[in-house]
Each structure stands twice: as C-alpha cells, then as structure tokens.
Amino acid sequence: MRRRGFYVLLVTVLVMIGAGAVALISTFTQVHGSPEETARAYLLAWESSDFAKMQRLVVDPPKDFLDRHTAFGAKMAVTELTLMPGTLKRLGEENAELPFEGERLLRDIGSWMFSSTLQLVVADRTWKVRWGPEVLHPALKNGGRVTLTPVDAPGVEVVTRTGDPLPTDSAADFYTHMLADMQDAETKRGWVIDAVGADGRTTRLAEFKAPAADKVKTTLDRRVQAAAARALDGMDKPAAIVAVNLKKGEVLAIADRLGEQRNVVASKFAPGSTFKVVTTFALLSAGLSPDTQVACPGSYTIPQHRSFRNDGEVDRGTISLRSAFAHSCNTTMVEQITKLPMESLREAAGRLGFGRSVTLGGVGGECGQIRPPTDLNWLGEDAIGQGSVTATPLCMALVAAAVGDGTWRAPTLLLDTPSPAQGDEPTVRLPEGPVEALRSMMRAVVSEGTAASAGLPPGTAGKTGTAETGQGMPNAWFIGYRDELAFAVLVLGGGSGGQSAAPLAARFLSGI
C-alpha cells in the first residue's frame, strides 16, 4: 500500500512539472497582440502625426523614417490626413496585410485620395509593420517620385456682351494686343500631381483645375465680331476691321491682322481720302453745301505754290461738291480748303476726335494727329489725308460714327464701363446742317462714286481712301456706317480703297 501511494505521488509531481514546463515554453513563444491591433494603432498614430509611436510599431525602421514623412507632407502641402482601414487578410501564421484608403487635404488645393497597403509581420513575438516608401504612396516604390506642380491659368476670361466666348473659328487675330493684355492681367492657379517612375515615365495621379476665370464682359458683339473675323480670312495682306455702335461708341468688333507691332487702337496711318470727310465737314461748316458748284480739274496749282492731281488726272470740269466728294476729287478739296483760314481744317479735325487720347483694354494712344500747317502746300496735303495727317483705324471708325449719329463719342470696350477720351468730354455734338449734308454725300460715294461697284448692301454710306506711303502699293481704306453700325476697314498695301477695302467692307457687312 505504501509503495502504491508513492507511485501516485510521483505521477502527480511529474504531471505538475510537465504542465509548468509547457506553461513556461508557451510564455516564451506567445505572439503578443494581433495584426489588426497593430495596423489600427499605426494608422491612428499616423493620422495624429505621432511619428515616434509609428516608428515603434515598425520592424527595422529606416533612420530617416521621421524625415521621410515630414518631407513628404511638406512637399505635398498636407494639412490634414484621414485614413480608413479595409479588411485584414491573413497570409500565414506570421504575415498579414491591411489595405487602406487615405485622404490628404492639401493646403489651398483640395482633397487628394490615395490607396495603399500595410504589410504586417511577427518580429520579436510582436506583430509589427514592415514599412516601405510605398506605404506613403504606392508611386514611391522602387525609387519613384511624386510631384506637385502648379498650373497657371487666366484669371480673366474676356467674353462678348452676352457672356459668350469670343469666336475662335477664324484666323483673324482679334485677341492680340488689347484682349490678350486684359486676359493676362491676372492669373489663377491649378495643380497637378504626377508619379514619376525610376524609368522617368510620368503618370498623372490627380488634377486640381484652377478656379473658373472671372468673366469680363466686353462690348463686343459675337455676331459682328465673327463677321469681321471671317471677312479677313484668306487675306494675303495685313488688314483690320473695327466696328462701333454709332449711338453709344461701344466697340462691336475688332478684327486685327496688322501684325504684332501694330493695332487698331494705337497705330496711326495716313488716312488718305477718307480724311476728306473731315475736310468736307470744314467746308460745309464754312457755308458750302452739297450742291455748291466747284471745279474738279485733273490738276490744280495753289497760286504761287505746288500742284496737286486727281487719280489718273481725271478732269471732271465743274460739278457739285457732292459729286466731287463722291468721286474723290483731290483738286477740289485742295482748292476749296486753301480759301479758308488755315486753322479751319485742324478745328474740324478736333471736333471729330483728332488730337484726343483713347484707351481700350489697357492699350491707348492718340486717336489721330494733324499738325498746324506752316504754308498752303502743307494745308493742301493735309486736306487729302496725307502730309501731317495720321489716324488709327478706330479713330476713322469714330469719324464715320460721328457723321452717322451727329455726335462724336469716346469709344468703350468694357460693357457698362465708360472710357472717355482722356482729359476731354466723352461726347462732342456736331452742327446738324453740315452733318446732314455729309450723310447725303457719303451715300453718294456708294451709289454713284468710288465705292459704287464694291457690292455694298443697301443703306451703306461711306468714303474710300487711297493713302500713299512712299513705299510700294498705297494703303487702302474704307470707312462708313449702316444703320447703327459704323466701321473702318484698312488693308496695308491694298492699293485703291474702292477696289480693295470697300469690297472687304461689303464682305463684312453681308456676313452679319
């Protein structure tokens, strides 16, 4: 009996020793925590920028672990980070992975979403994160880079009076100069995020478009602008068309193909016979009428001064002033103006805008220029739009508008924003008698004079101009108005105004 009790005791002791050994072995081999706990703790620490805690949860973290995170956040302008864990996937007893979604809020840019994965392993009996740069973003794997690049866009969109985009279906460069300057005056910024692989290949990750440009309404009329632009298609010479509302001075169209160094607002050219509108206004203001009989010889010599000639030295004999104007008699204009006081022509020009400064869209200049004559030869040249007389296409369109409405108006390009001539009253009322007479004379130019064969639509009144430049072919002009639309057409090197500029005006008016 005693021996049997001894054996029972021995077995009991051995069982207890074995259990203790198993417990001791289990204590030394047990894995602490779970991959879920480690992953979630890491993501929470990352969200709060607790990089020290993150580093403790990583197996063999790189020495620059902290620097990599802070540098990436600064480079990408990160102000806030939100992380959303997915479903953990076990890959074995000591391996797992947790996909997660991230949202980075970028300062003054927007929200940037990304996806990545935490790799989890057992190290030192503890679940830890096996970290690589791809945890920050998958594009950083194997030496890749992520770039944040600004993209500037126009801060101002210049649109028509109705808010529509300006027509772009023509080669006419009507954006050059004033409109381009207006659009470039302010920029807005967008951003792009790109992944650049080790092989240099770039992949677009995200795009943050610049805020919509502020629309600036101009006075430009889409239909009139498109017609002016299309009219210049196919032109083999520098040319321009500018149109204004004759009752408001609003610029309705600018089709400018004069080249980068010239424009319709600031560049002045000799207006040639279109300036006879001004000369005739001076004559009518001095008492002449459209029916006054005047001489139109082939050539005329100012007493004790130089001679002037008509085109082709055509002699029309004695005709009415209306007919002389319609057929653009140089000799008539020279003879009649030299009978008036010398200052008469400049005074008339001043009432029609010459000498005034105008600005459109940041581009400004003198509307037109005529210097005080020192002798009758000078006055004679000025009377036919040569000599000291120069004018911008805009200025000549305003001259036509002043005749059509009876009031000279400073031009405007921005809707509901007056742009008066600098230092001057924005309007000048013209005497009714001379203006009414000029209207009938400009209608005669189209019905029976130098523009009769140009194909201009009914109701058009105007004046042709051929301006000698001293180099090559003359510049061709045509100015006029129809209904409430006034305009000027210029073709550099175009030759005769009646054969070049007037048909171009007809194409423009027919296209509206």
Side-chain angles (χ1 to χ4, degrees):
M1 288 295 291
R2 289 179 179 176
R3 183 180 297 274
R4 181 179 178 186
F6 171 77
Y7 284 129
V8 171
L9 178 61
L10 178 61
V11 169
T12 302
V13 170
L14 290 174
V15 169
M16 292 177 65
I17 291 172
V22 169
L24 183 61
I25 293 171
S26 176
T27 299
F28 281 103
T29 60
Q30 181 180 5
V31 176
H32 299 293
S34 69
E36 292 93 340
E37 291 173 346
T38 298
R40 292 180 183 277
Y42 184 89
L43 295 179
L44 286 172
W46 191 4
E47 281 186 332
S48 60
S49 299
D50 189 347
F51 300 119
K53 183 176 181 179
M54 292 166 62
Q55 193 166 7
R56 290 194 298 270
L57 293 170
V58 173
V59 58
D60 297 328
K63 292 181 179 180
D64 60 351
F65 181 83
L66 173 60
D67 292 339
R68 289 198 185 196
H69 282 79
T70 55
F72 188 81
K75 176 183 178 181
M76 304 305 294
V78 179
T79 59
E80 186 177 334
L81 174 65
T82 303
L83 301 169
M84 296 151 282
T87 301
L88 185 102
K89 181 179 181 181
R90 289 270 191 166
L91 303 177
E93 289 296 325
E94 297 185 350
N95 292 276
E97 63 180 21
L98 179 74
F100 66 91
E101 300 291 326
E103 179 184 12
R104 289 182 170 102
L105 186 62
L106 310 186
R107 183 184 300 107
D108 300 327
I109 297 176
S111 175
W112 175 34
M113 305 296 296
F114 71 102
S115 301
S116 191
T117 302
L118 284 181
Q119 300 294 332
L120 298 133
V121 298
V122 174
D124 299 329
R125 301 187 311 279
T126 303
W127 281 101
K128 289 195 173 186
V129 174
R130 176 177 288 161
W131 188 87
E134 61 271 21
V135 175
L136 282 170
H137 194 281
L140 299 177
K141 189 175 183 178
N142 298 326
R145 296 181 294 114
V146 175
T147 62
L148 176 64
T149 307
V151 178
D152 288 338
V156 172
E157 180 188 3
V158 180
V159 296
T160 66
R161 62 193 304 112
T162 55
D164 297 316
L166 293 169
T168 57
D169 56 349
S170 167
D173 185 13
F174 48 82
Y175 294 102
T176 301
H177 313 302
M178 66 209 73
L179 298 185
D181 288 346
M182 291 170 67
Q183 295 185 117
D184 292 342
E186 180 184 347
T187 59
K188 294 191 175 183
R189 176 158 287 184
W191 299 84
V192 294
I193 299 177
D194 292 324
V196 184
D199 58 0
R201 294 184 180 180
T202 299
T203 303
R204 180 62 44 83
L205 299 178
E207 181 175 0
F208 302 89
K209 293 185 178 181
D214 299 324
K215 289 190 175 183
V216 175
K217 287 188 177 182
T218 65
T219 58
L220 296 174
D221 183 286
R222 181 175 176 82
R223 185 167 52 94
V224 179
Q225 176 66 65
R230 286 194 302 267
L232 295 186
D233 284 343
M235 292 291 296
D236 59 356
K237 296 181 182 298
I241 299 174
V242 57
V244 300
N245 181 301
L246 58 81
K247 290 189 175 297
K248 298 180 179 180
E250 295 176 346
V251 178
L252 302 178
I254 302 170
D256 181 352
R257 292 182 66 184
L258 298 176
E260 292 185 1
Q261 304 303 316
R262 295 173 293 205
N263 65 79
V264 299
V265 177
S267 300
K268 295 190 289 292
F269 309 86
S273 291
T274 59
F275 189 73
K276 290 174 182 173
V277 172
V278 178
T279 304
T280 303
F281 176 68
L283 297 177
L284 294 169
S285 298
L288 275 68
S289 76
D291 297 323
T292 298
Q293 296 297 295
V294 293
C296 179
S299 64
Y300 171 74
T301 301
I302 302 174
Q304 300 178 345
H305 291 78
R306 58 159 289 192
S307 295
F308 291 82
R309 300 176 182 179
N310 289 333
D311 184 29
E313 294 195 51
V314 175
D315 187 341
R316 297 187 179 277
T318 300
I319 55 178
S320 67
L321 183 60
R322 177 186 291 104
S323 184
F325 181 86
H327 293 284
S328 203
C329 288
N330 290 336
T331 54
T332 302
M333 296 297 155
V334 172
E335 180 181 8
Q336 296 302 320
I337 202 67
T338 54
K339 295 179 180 180
L340 301 182
M342 272 196 177
E343 65 274 13
S344 299
L345 186 59
R346 286 191 73 244
E347 289 177 356
R351 302 191 73 175
L352 290 168
F354 280 74
R356 291 173 176 257
S357 294
V358 297
T359 300
L360 289 182
V363 176
E366 192 175 37
C367 185
Q369 176 180 296
I370 177 172
R371 296 195 300 270
T374 58
D375 58 35
L376 293 181
N377 289 337
W378 184 329
L379 180 60
E381 290 181 354
D382 286 352
I384 56 176
Q386 301 282 171
S388 74
V389 180
T390 56
T392 67
L394 174 62
C395 180
M396 295 312 296
L398 297 175
V399 168
V403 174
D405 182 60
T407 300
W408 184 92
R409 288 183 169 84
T412 59
L413 183 61
L414 299 181
L415 196 63
D416 301 324
T417 304
S419 299
Q422 297 175 1
D424 293 300
E425 291 297 322
T427 60
V428 177
R429 186 66 185 171
L430 305 177
E432 185 176 348
V435 167
E436 181 58 40
L438 259 177
R439 292 174 188 150
S440 70
M441 298 168 79
M442 291 177 71
R443 289 193 295 268
V445 171
V446 176
S447 62
E448 62 188 74
T450 53
S453 62
L456 291 158
T460 305
K463 182 68 186 76
T464 58
T466 303
E468 300 291 341
T469 64
Q471 297 179 346
M473 293 284 286
N475 294 336
W477 286 84
F478 186 73
I479 68 171
Y481 63 90
R482 182 171 183 259
D483 298 328
E484 294 187 3
L485 180 74
F487 57 88
V489 176
L490 171 63
V491 182
L492 300 184
S496 166
Q499 297 178 4
S500 177
L504 182 57
R507 189 189 314 173
F508 160 56
L509 293 174
S510 299
I512 298 176

